[in-house]
Amino acid sequence: MIAKSALRVFFNIAEAWKLSTDEAMTLLGLDARSTFFKWKKQPELAKLNPDKLERLSYIFGIYKALQVLLPKSEAADQWIKRPNKAPPFQGQSALERMLKGRVVDLYVVRQYLDGQRGW
């Protein structure tokens, strides 16, 4: 049940952020396209290990923080692709940072946004 709900939310976020299949796979930590498309078609069959759950948690937190910081959905969804001069990004976009593929990169983006929210 958790997998089904979590993956549906993830795929909705991926669509809002206009992620390519490869970008979405990287954020999920997946290598196999067949697994990605199976999860997309039948999320209830997915087995989410702790790594995948942690990744999803950070992605959901990033999405929520952006919706709070930038109440206009379009601005919030486009923010991840804009170059950013803040220290964690060094001129890259948040998406470029997240696409390095490590959980810690998702954590850094989430931490930055939580800091911007005053947390």
Side-chain angles (χ1 to χ4, degrees):
M1 186 69 162
I2 289 173
K4 180 179 179 180
S5 299
L7 287 173
R8 283 201 171 146
V9 170
F10 171 78
F11 288 119
N12 286 336
I13 290 170
E15 185 176 319
W17 287 351
K18 296 180 175 33
L19 300 179
S20 69
T21 297
D22 288 339
E23 290 169 337
M25 286 176 57
T26 298
L27 294 185
L28 276 175
L30 287 177
D31 294 325
R33 291 176 80 80
S34 59
T35 300
F36 177 83
F37 287 110
K38 184 169 110 178
W39 286 8
K40 194 169 184 177
K41 187 175 182 178
Q42 297 178 295
E44 66 278 3
L45 300 179
K47 302 267 191 274
L48 299 178
N49 63 26
D51 174 76
K52 303 297 183 259
L53 291 171
E54 185 176 12
R55 288 171 178 277
L56 289 167
S57 175
Y58 287 132
I59 291 163
F60 297 167
I62 291 164
Y63 181 82
K64 181 180 178 184
L66 288 170
Q67 296 301 313
V68 170
L69 289 166
L70 302 165
K72 292 190 178 197
S73 290
E74 273 187 30
D77 294 338
Q78 293 169 359
W79 181 87
I80 65 160
K81 293 188 177 183
R82 290 196 179 116
N84 193 321
K85 293 185 192 281
F89 310 111
Q90 301 175 340
Q92 293 185 320
S93 68
L95 182 60
E96 287 174 290
R97 175 71 191 250
M98 293 188 293
L99 289 176
K100 291 182 179 179
R102 301 172 303 178
V103 173
V104 70
D105 295 308
L106 297 171
Y107 168 78
V108 166
V109 174
R110 169 76 189 270
Q111 186 178 46
Y112 171 78
L113 290 169
D114 285 348
Q116 296 301 302
R117 290 176 59 193
W119 289 28

